[in-house]
Amino acid sequence: MEHTLSPAATQPLAPVSSNERIQALDVVRGFALIGIMMMNVEFFNRPMAELGMGLSSGLTGANYWVGMFIQYFVIGKFWTIFSLLFGMGFAVMLTRAERAGRSFLVPYLRRIAALATFGALHHIFLFAGDILFSYAVAATALLIVLYGRPWFILAGLLACVGLGFVPGMDWTFGVAGGLAFFGLSAWWLRGEKMTKGMPASAMFFLVLGLLLLLVGAGLWAFVPAAPPPAKFMLPVGGVIVTILGVLTKKYHDPQAARAWRLGVGIYCFSFTLMIAGGIGMYLAPQPAPAKPAPAATAAAKSASAPAAAKPAAPSPEAERAKRLKERAERIEKERKLMSSASYGELVKYRAHQFVEHAPGEVGFATLLIGMFLLGTWFVRSGIMENTQAHLPLFRRFATLCLPLGVGLGLAGALISTQAVPGSIGKDGWQIAQGMLLLGNLPACLGYVSLLILALHSGGAFANVKLLAPFGRMALTNYLTQSLLMSLVFLGHGLGYYGASRVDQMLFVAAVVVVQIAFSHVWLSYFRYGPMEWLWRAVTYWQIPPLRIGAPLGAPTVPSAA
């Protein structure tokens, strides 16, 4: 992503030169890329179906401690950093366009389309844990939140609801839910209407919270047989939404602070609700297993039942058993494919996975939007343009946010470190996972702040700037990492599938050292990494000069053909 904030009133919107970049963002991106590989390498040695289940079973000795370190100091902290950086990149591009007096929308849409294409190809041909496609979906949602008009959002929502009733199109209901969320976020961010002396959005949350509390109280009072999670979550949700209303009333203004407040609010609301749901599942009574009917009674019922009677709906226990069996089969299938299948078989499986899971990216986008908005605020507020002037802020983030973020995850580890299949929430894993995920935001800010402080330290820690070229080539290096891990660990390559956690980290260290060195050498001859060059060419629809010595004259515009 381009990181320039210099005026360009008389120049077209185009790729930036290296001296226009914000070095701090490249350093942070390089650091994040290391953490991303430390996370991803596990799932070149473990089925993706086990994602989110915590530590692998059977880890001992050094492998256990490496697994613990990755779980509580790495996982979740680095995709949040990348998401923060993506929001910053969006704001930088927007700011450049404003200062150049040029159109922003068309280049940005081309940028999203290219990113979505890279992500889809990466998922299908290299790694099912791709996040680029998710970013493309969330980047589109960001446009809706920042610029979407209410009637267009409502029209899109209604269209998705209508399409959901078409056979095979029920996935559009999820898209409709996402649009409703993005519309509500846009209203909170850009709405100025007042009701009863408070922002209309604050009144909405207060009324909604009261309704949820009343419905929840009604379940406890009049429907004792209601499912325990519903009886717990409705009043808890009512309390949380009411708090949102109170906070909105108090902190909706000033407008300049809305982006970061909404971003933090979205993130914290999501995982606070997750923790509350986990507590509800943990405290709810264990459902009693269904008692089989005596043989004589069952036979009598069968004899007297009408011939056309519908079969009884499966019990909740049977449904859970079915889901557990399906998940176990999926895990075993993935393990077999990754360890011994041909490349063609694996590609076919991942392509099917991508088609199946792509619509669900709208749900993940609701979370990414929060990080994007926070990143946008960091740039638009001037903090990342002049990090030197904001070092006291970064010191506060480093000393307060990092211990809080990592500490929340470690506190969750005292409850549970891995999911127990079929436990129905009694293992406490959802509570622990919610605490870990909630802590990722402050930990992310703490890590970023430490890097900024190191960069300005003037001592040995300032050598962190060596990561800048590595970060400038983040897309190229990210895709290359997946290619190398695929060739080394999967069955169609060298076949080291199932490598120990220690060996995985040794592999990561070797690859990162080589990539950092390669990035320095490459960028001493070329302006961009190969994939960055291609991304810029598509974004600005011009061919930027690649070699450092090449003239910067009129760009070559690709033919329409």
Side-chain angles (χ1 to χ4, degrees), residues 144 148-162 175-184 186 190:
I144 297 172
R149 296 179 180 177
W151 289 110
F152 284 103
I153 297 174
L154 181 60
L157 193 158
L158 293 175
C160 288
V161 171
V175 177
L179 282 173
F181 179 86
F182 304 142
L184 183 61
R190 296 185 277 132

PDB file of all heavy atoms in Angstrom, residues 144 148-162 175-184 186 190:
ATOM      1  N   ILE A 144     -19.134   1.243   1.917  1.00  0.00           N
ATOM      2  CA  ILE A 144     -20.537   1.392   2.308  1.00  0.00           C
ATOM      3  C   ILE A 144     -20.640   2.201   3.598  1.00  0.00           C
ATOM      4  O   ILE A 144     -21.460   3.115   3.722  1.00  0.00           O
ATOM      5  CB  ILE A 144     -21.202   0.010   2.473  1.00  0.00           C
ATOM      6  CG1 ILE A 144     -21.219  -0.736   1.135  1.00  0.00           C
ATOM      7  CG2 ILE A 144     -22.617   0.147   3.027  1.00  0.00           C
ATOM      8  CD1 ILE A 144     -21.685  -2.177   1.241  1.00  0.00           C
ATOM      9  N   GLY A 148     -21.785   5.092   1.734  1.00  0.00           N
ATOM     10  CA  GLY A 148     -23.051   4.537   1.264  1.00  0.00           C
ATOM     11  C   GLY A 148     -24.241   5.423   1.596  1.00  0.00           C
ATOM     12  O   GLY A 148     -24.338   5.971   2.698  1.00  0.00           O
ATOM     13  N   ARG A 149     -25.162   5.543   0.652  1.00  0.00           N
ATOM     14  CA  ARG A 149     -26.370   6.322   0.862  1.00  0.00           C
ATOM     15  C   ARG A 149     -27.452   5.420   1.441  1.00  0.00           C
ATOM     16  O   ARG A 149     -27.596   4.266   1.022  1.00  0.00           O
ATOM     17  CB  ARG A 149     -26.839   6.943  -0.450  1.00  0.00           C
ATOM     18  CG  ARG A 149     -25.836   7.944  -1.022  1.00  0.00           C
ATOM     19  CD  ARG A 149     -26.317   8.532  -2.323  1.00  0.00           C
ATOM     20  NE  ARG A 149     -25.357   9.490  -2.857  1.00  0.00           N
ATOM     21  CZ  ARG A 149     -25.496  10.121  -4.016  1.00  0.00           C
ATOM     22  NH1 ARG A 149     -26.563   9.874  -4.771  1.00  0.00           N
ATOM     23  NH2 ARG A 149     -24.576  10.975  -4.427  1.00  0.00           N
ATOM     24  N   PRO A 150     -28.229   5.928   2.381  1.00  0.00           N
ATOM     25  CA  PRO A 150     -29.198   5.081   3.097  1.00  0.00           C
ATOM     26  C   PRO A 150     -30.136   4.306   2.181  1.00  0.00           C
ATOM     27  O   PRO A 150     -30.366   3.105   2.406  1.00  0.00           O
ATOM     28  CB  PRO A 150     -29.963   6.086   3.966  1.00  0.00           C
ATOM     29  CG  PRO A 150     -29.016   7.221   4.161  1.00  0.00           C
ATOM     30  CD  PRO A 150     -28.207   7.299   2.910  1.00  0.00           C
ATOM     31  N   TRP A 151     -30.687   4.959   1.154  1.00  0.00           N
ATOM     32  CA  TRP A 151     -31.663   4.282   0.308  1.00  0.00           C
ATOM     33  C   TRP A 151     -31.024   3.174  -0.529  1.00  0.00           C
ATOM     34  O   TRP A 151     -31.646   2.146  -0.777  1.00  0.00           O
ATOM     35  CB  TRP A 151     -32.384   5.283  -0.587  1.00  0.00           C
ATOM     36  CG  TRP A 151     -33.316   6.165   0.172  1.00  0.00           C
ATOM     37  CD1 TRP A 151     -33.184   7.504   0.433  1.00  0.00           C
ATOM     38  CD2 TRP A 151     -34.531   5.754   0.830  1.00  0.00           C
ATOM     39  NE1 TRP A 151     -34.216   7.955   1.202  1.00  0.00           N
ATOM     40  CE2 TRP A 151     -35.069   6.905   1.466  1.00  0.00           C
ATOM     41  CE3 TRP A 151     -35.198   4.540   0.958  1.00  0.00           C
ATOM     42  CZ2 TRP A 151     -36.248   6.875   2.201  1.00  0.00           C
ATOM     43  CZ3 TRP A 151     -36.368   4.511   1.690  1.00  0.00           C
ATOM     44  CH2 TRP A 151     -36.887   5.660   2.296  1.00  0.00           C
ATOM     45  N   PHE A 152     -29.764   3.369  -0.927  1.00  0.00           N
ATOM     46  CA  PHE A 152     -29.083   2.320  -1.683  1.00  0.00           C
ATOM     47  C   PHE A 152     -28.777   1.125  -0.785  1.00  0.00           C
ATOM     48  O   PHE A 152     -28.884  -0.031  -1.204  1.00  0.00           O
ATOM     49  CB  PHE A 152     -27.803   2.870  -2.312  1.00  0.00           C
ATOM     50  CG  PHE A 152     -28.038   3.734  -3.512  1.00  0.00           C
ATOM     51  CD1 PHE A 152     -27.954   5.112  -3.417  1.00  0.00           C
ATOM     52  CD2 PHE A 152     -28.366   3.176  -4.736  1.00  0.00           C
ATOM     53  CE1 PHE A 152     -28.180   5.924  -4.522  1.00  0.00           C
ATOM     54  CE2 PHE A 152     -28.595   3.973  -5.850  1.00  0.00           C
ATOM     55  CZ  PHE A 152     -28.502   5.349  -5.748  1.00  0.00           C
ATOM     56  N   ILE A 153     -28.379   1.412   0.462  1.00  0.00           N
ATOM     57  CA  ILE A 153     -28.112   0.317   1.405  1.00  0.00           C
ATOM     58  C   ILE A 153     -29.394  -0.462   1.673  1.00  0.00           C
ATOM     59  O   ILE A 153     -29.405  -1.705   1.668  1.00  0.00           O
ATOM     60  CB  ILE A 153     -27.538   0.873   2.722  1.00  0.00           C
ATOM     61  CG1 ILE A 153     -26.185   1.555   2.473  1.00  0.00           C
ATOM     62  CG2 ILE A 153     -27.376  -0.246   3.753  1.00  0.00           C
ATOM     63  CD1 ILE A 153     -25.619   2.268   3.697  1.00  0.00           C
ATOM     64  N   LEU A 154     -30.502   0.270   1.895  1.00  0.00           N
ATOM     65  CA  LEU A 154     -31.780  -0.387   2.162  1.00  0.00           C
ATOM     66  C   LEU A 154     -32.239  -1.203   0.963  1.00  0.00           C
ATOM     67  O   LEU A 154     -32.724  -2.338   1.109  1.00  0.00           O
ATOM     68  CB  LEU A 154     -32.835   0.665   2.514  1.00  0.00           C
ATOM     69  CG  LEU A 154     -34.236   0.140   2.847  1.00  0.00           C
ATOM     70  CD1 LEU A 154     -34.180  -0.795   4.053  1.00  0.00           C
ATOM     71  CD2 LEU A 154     -35.194   1.288   3.117  1.00  0.00           C
ATOM     72  N   ALA A 155     -32.053  -0.651  -0.245  1.00  0.00           N
ATOM     73  CA  ALA A 155     -32.451  -1.383  -1.461  1.00  0.00           C
ATOM     74  C   ALA A 155     -31.643  -2.671  -1.598  1.00  0.00           C
ATOM     75  O   ALA A 155     -32.185  -3.730  -1.938  1.00  0.00           O
ATOM     76  CB  ALA A 155     -32.265  -0.497  -2.689  1.00  0.00           C
ATOM     77  N   GLY A 156     -30.344  -2.590  -1.338  1.00  0.00           N
ATOM     78  CA  GLY A 156     -29.501  -3.786  -1.408  1.00  0.00           C
ATOM     79  C   GLY A 156     -29.902  -4.820  -0.374  1.00  0.00           C
ATOM     80  O   GLY A 156     -29.936  -6.022  -0.655  1.00  0.00           O
ATOM     81  N   LEU A 157     -30.230  -4.355   0.828  1.00  0.00           N
ATOM     82  CA  LEU A 157     -30.660  -5.257   1.896  1.00  0.00           C
ATOM     83  C   LEU A 157     -31.938  -5.989   1.504  1.00  0.00           C
ATOM     84  O   LEU A 157     -32.029  -7.223   1.637  1.00  0.00           O
ATOM     85  CB  LEU A 157     -30.862  -4.442   3.177  1.00  0.00           C
ATOM     86  CG  LEU A 157     -31.023  -5.177   4.503  1.00  0.00           C
ATOM     87  CD1 LEU A 157     -30.667  -4.252   5.659  1.00  0.00           C
ATOM     88  CD2 LEU A 157     -32.448  -5.675   4.705  1.00  0.00           C
ATOM     89  N   LEU A 158     -32.918  -5.241   0.997  1.00  0.00           N
ATOM     90  CA  LEU A 158     -34.192  -5.858   0.612  1.00  0.00           C
ATOM     91  C   LEU A 158     -34.006  -6.828  -0.551  1.00  0.00           C
ATOM     92  O   LEU A 158     -34.636  -7.892  -0.601  1.00  0.00           O
ATOM     93  CB  LEU A 158     -35.208  -4.775   0.244  1.00  0.00           C
ATOM     94  CG  LEU A 158     -35.659  -3.879   1.410  1.00  0.00           C
ATOM     95  CD1 LEU A 158     -36.564  -2.770   0.897  1.00  0.00           C
ATOM     96  CD2 LEU A 158     -36.378  -4.699   2.481  1.00  0.00           C
ATOM     97  N   ALA A 159     -33.130  -6.467  -1.483  1.00  0.00           N
ATOM     98  CA  ALA A 159     -32.866  -7.360  -2.622  1.00  0.00           C
ATOM     99  C   ALA A 159     -32.253  -8.674  -2.146  1.00  0.00           C
ATOM    100  O   ALA A 159     -32.625  -9.756  -2.625  1.00  0.00           O
ATOM    101  CB  ALA A 159     -31.937  -6.665  -3.612  1.00  0.00           C
ATOM    102  N   CYS A 160     -31.319  -8.584  -1.196  1.00  0.00           N
ATOM    103  CA  CYS A 160     -30.689  -9.804  -0.666  1.00  0.00           C
ATOM    104  C   CYS A 160     -31.702 -10.669   0.080  1.00  0.00           C
ATOM    105  O   CYS A 160     -31.673 -11.905  -0.034  1.00  0.00           O
ATOM    106  CB  CYS A 160     -29.528  -9.436   0.254  1.00  0.00           C
ATOM    107  SG  CYS A 160     -28.085  -8.795  -0.612  1.00  0.00           S
ATOM    108  N   VAL A 161     -32.598 -10.022   0.847  1.00  0.00           N
ATOM    109  CA  VAL A 161     -33.634 -10.779   1.544  1.00  0.00           C
ATOM    110  C   VAL A 161     -34.538 -11.487   0.541  1.00  0.00           C
ATOM    111  O   VAL A 161     -34.875 -12.671   0.695  1.00  0.00           O
ATOM    112  CB  VAL A 161     -34.457  -9.857   2.470  1.00  0.00           C
ATOM    113  CG1 VAL A 161     -35.675 -10.598   3.011  1.00  0.00           C
ATOM    114  CG2 VAL A 161     -33.595  -9.362   3.621  1.00  0.00           C
ATOM    115  N   GLY A 162     -34.940 -10.768  -0.519  1.00  0.00           N
ATOM    116  CA  GLY A 162     -35.798 -11.375  -1.533  1.00  0.00           C
ATOM    117  C   GLY A 162     -35.125 -12.549  -2.220  1.00  0.00           C
ATOM    118  O   GLY A 162     -35.736 -13.609  -2.427  1.00  0.00           O
ATOM    119  N   VAL A 175     -25.695 -12.057   3.692  1.00  0.00           N
ATOM    120  CA  VAL A 175     -25.261 -10.786   3.098  1.00  0.00           C
ATOM    121  C   VAL A 175     -26.181  -9.663   3.553  1.00  0.00           C
ATOM    122  O   VAL A 175     -25.736  -8.552   3.855  1.00  0.00           O
ATOM    123  CB  VAL A 175     -25.240 -10.891   1.559  1.00  0.00           C
ATOM    124  CG1 VAL A 175     -24.850  -9.554   0.939  1.00  0.00           C
ATOM    125  CG2 VAL A 175     -24.268 -11.985   1.110  1.00  0.00           C
ATOM    126  N   ALA A 176     -27.498  -9.953   3.614  1.00  0.00           N
ATOM    127  CA  ALA A 176     -28.457  -8.951   4.081  1.00  0.00           C
ATOM    128  C   ALA A 176     -28.145  -8.529   5.517  1.00  0.00           C
ATOM    129  O   ALA A 176     -28.190  -7.344   5.863  1.00  0.00           O
ATOM    130  CB  ALA A 176     -29.881  -9.504   3.991  1.00  0.00           C
ATOM    131  N   GLY A 177     -27.806  -9.501   6.355  1.00  0.00           N
ATOM    132  CA  GLY A 177     -27.438  -9.173   7.727  1.00  0.00           C
ATOM    133  C   GLY A 177     -26.210  -8.280   7.782  1.00  0.00           C
ATOM    134  O   GLY A 177     -26.140  -7.338   8.577  1.00  0.00           O
ATOM    135  N   GLY A 178     -25.223  -8.594   6.915  1.00  0.00           N
ATOM    136  CA  GLY A 178     -24.028  -7.761   6.851  1.00  0.00           C
ATOM    137  C   GLY A 178     -24.349  -6.340   6.408  1.00  0.00           C
ATOM    138  O   GLY A 178     -23.846  -5.365   6.985  1.00  0.00           O
ATOM    139  N   LEU A 179     -25.196  -6.216   5.392  1.00  0.00           N
ATOM    140  CA  LEU A 179     -25.583  -4.882   4.919  1.00  0.00           C
ATOM    141  C   LEU A 179     -26.296  -4.094   6.018  1.00  0.00           C
ATOM    142  O   LEU A 179     -26.096  -2.883   6.153  1.00  0.00           O
ATOM    143  CB  LEU A 179     -26.481  -5.000   3.694  1.00  0.00           C
ATOM    144  CG  LEU A 179     -25.785  -5.296   2.361  1.00  0.00           C
ATOM    145  CD1 LEU A 179     -26.811  -5.546   1.267  1.00  0.00           C
ATOM    146  CD2 LEU A 179     -24.868  -4.152   1.967  1.00  0.00           C
ATOM    147  N   ALA A 180     -27.149  -4.781   6.785  1.00  0.00           N
ATOM    148  CA  ALA A 180     -27.833  -4.108   7.893  1.00  0.00           C
ATOM    149  C   ALA A 180     -26.806  -3.590   8.902  1.00  0.00           C
ATOM    150  O   ALA A 180     -26.916  -2.456   9.398  1.00  0.00           O
ATOM    151  CB  ALA A 180     -28.813  -5.062   8.564  1.00  0.00           C
ATOM    152  N   PHE A 181     -25.800  -4.396   9.194  1.00  0.00           N
ATOM    153  CA  PHE A 181     -24.754  -3.980  10.131  1.00  0.00           C
ATOM    154  C   PHE A 181     -23.967  -2.799   9.578  1.00  0.00           C
ATOM    155  O   PHE A 181     -23.690  -1.828  10.302  1.00  0.00           O
ATOM    156  CB  PHE A 181     -23.813  -5.153  10.415  1.00  0.00           C
ATOM    157  CG  PHE A 181     -22.688  -4.815  11.344  1.00  0.00           C
ATOM    158  CD1 PHE A 181     -22.853  -4.895  12.712  1.00  0.00           C
ATOM    159  CD2 PHE A 181     -21.459  -4.413  10.848  1.00  0.00           C
ATOM    160  CE1 PHE A 181     -21.817  -4.572  13.577  1.00  0.00           C
ATOM    161  CE2 PHE A 181     -20.417  -4.088  11.693  1.00  0.00           C
ATOM    162  CZ  PHE A 181     -20.603  -4.166  13.062  1.00  0.00           C
ATOM    163  N   PHE A 182     -23.601  -2.870   8.288  1.00  0.00           N
ATOM    164  CA  PHE A 182     -22.828  -1.780   7.690  1.00  0.00           C
ATOM    165  C   PHE A 182     -23.654  -0.493   7.642  1.00  0.00           C
ATOM    166  O   PHE A 182     -23.131   0.597   7.857  1.00  0.00           O
ATOM    167  CB  PHE A 182     -22.367  -2.160   6.280  1.00  0.00           C
ATOM    168  CG  PHE A 182     -21.566  -3.436   6.222  1.00  0.00           C
ATOM    169  CD1 PHE A 182     -21.717  -4.324   5.168  1.00  0.00           C
ATOM    170  CD2 PHE A 182     -20.668  -3.753   7.234  1.00  0.00           C
ATOM    171  CE1 PHE A 182     -20.999  -5.498   5.118  1.00  0.00           C
ATOM    172  CE2 PHE A 182     -19.939  -4.933   7.197  1.00  0.00           C
ATOM    173  CZ  PHE A 182     -20.111  -5.806   6.135  1.00  0.00           C
ATOM    174  N   GLY A 183     -24.947  -0.638   7.372  1.00  0.00           N
ATOM    175  CA  GLY A 183     -25.818   0.531   7.357  1.00  0.00           C
ATOM    176  C   GLY A 183     -25.930   1.165   8.734  1.00  0.00           C
ATOM    177  O   GLY A 183     -25.886   2.394   8.877  1.00  0.00           O
ATOM    178  N   LEU A 184     -26.059   0.330   9.767  1.00  0.00           N
ATOM    179  CA  LEU A 184     -26.133   0.832  11.138  1.00  0.00           C
ATOM    180  C   LEU A 184     -24.827   1.530  11.521  1.00  0.00           C
ATOM    181  O   LEU A 184     -24.834   2.589  12.170  1.00  0.00           O
ATOM    182  CB  LEU A 184     -26.423  -0.317  12.097  1.00  0.00           C
ATOM    183  CG  LEU A 184     -26.603   0.044  13.577  1.00  0.00           C
ATOM    184  CD1 LEU A 184     -27.789   0.987  13.758  1.00  0.00           C
ATOM    185  CD2 LEU A 184     -26.802  -1.225  14.402  1.00  0.00           C
ATOM    186  N   ALA A 186     -22.735   2.963   9.407  1.00  0.00           N
ATOM    187  CA  ALA A 186     -22.691   4.228   8.660  1.00  0.00           C
ATOM    188  C   ALA A 186     -23.541   5.283   9.354  1.00  0.00           C
ATOM    189  O   ALA A 186     -23.159   6.468   9.428  1.00  0.00           O
ATOM    190  CB  ALA A 186     -23.179   4.000   7.227  1.00  0.00           C
ATOM    191  N   ARG A 190     -21.904   8.682  10.574  1.00  0.00           N
ATOM    192  CA  ARG A 190     -22.169   9.901   9.801  1.00  0.00           C
ATOM    193  C   ARG A 190     -23.474  10.597  10.168  1.00  0.00           C
ATOM    194  O   ARG A 190     -23.746  11.691   9.693  1.00  0.00           O
ATOM    195  CB  ARG A 190     -22.176   9.559   8.312  1.00  0.00           C
ATOM    196  CG  ARG A 190     -20.831   9.069   7.802  1.00  0.00           C
ATOM    197  CD  ARG A 190     -20.841   8.864   6.317  1.00  0.00           C
ATOM    198  NE  ARG A 190     -21.384   7.569   5.925  1.00  0.00           N
ATOM    199  CZ  ARG A 190     -22.298   7.385   4.993  1.00  0.00           C
ATOM    200  NH1 ARG A 190     -22.834   8.422   4.379  1.00  0.00           N
ATOM    201  NH2 ARG A 190     -22.715   6.175   4.688  1.00  0.00           N
TER     202      ARG A 190
END
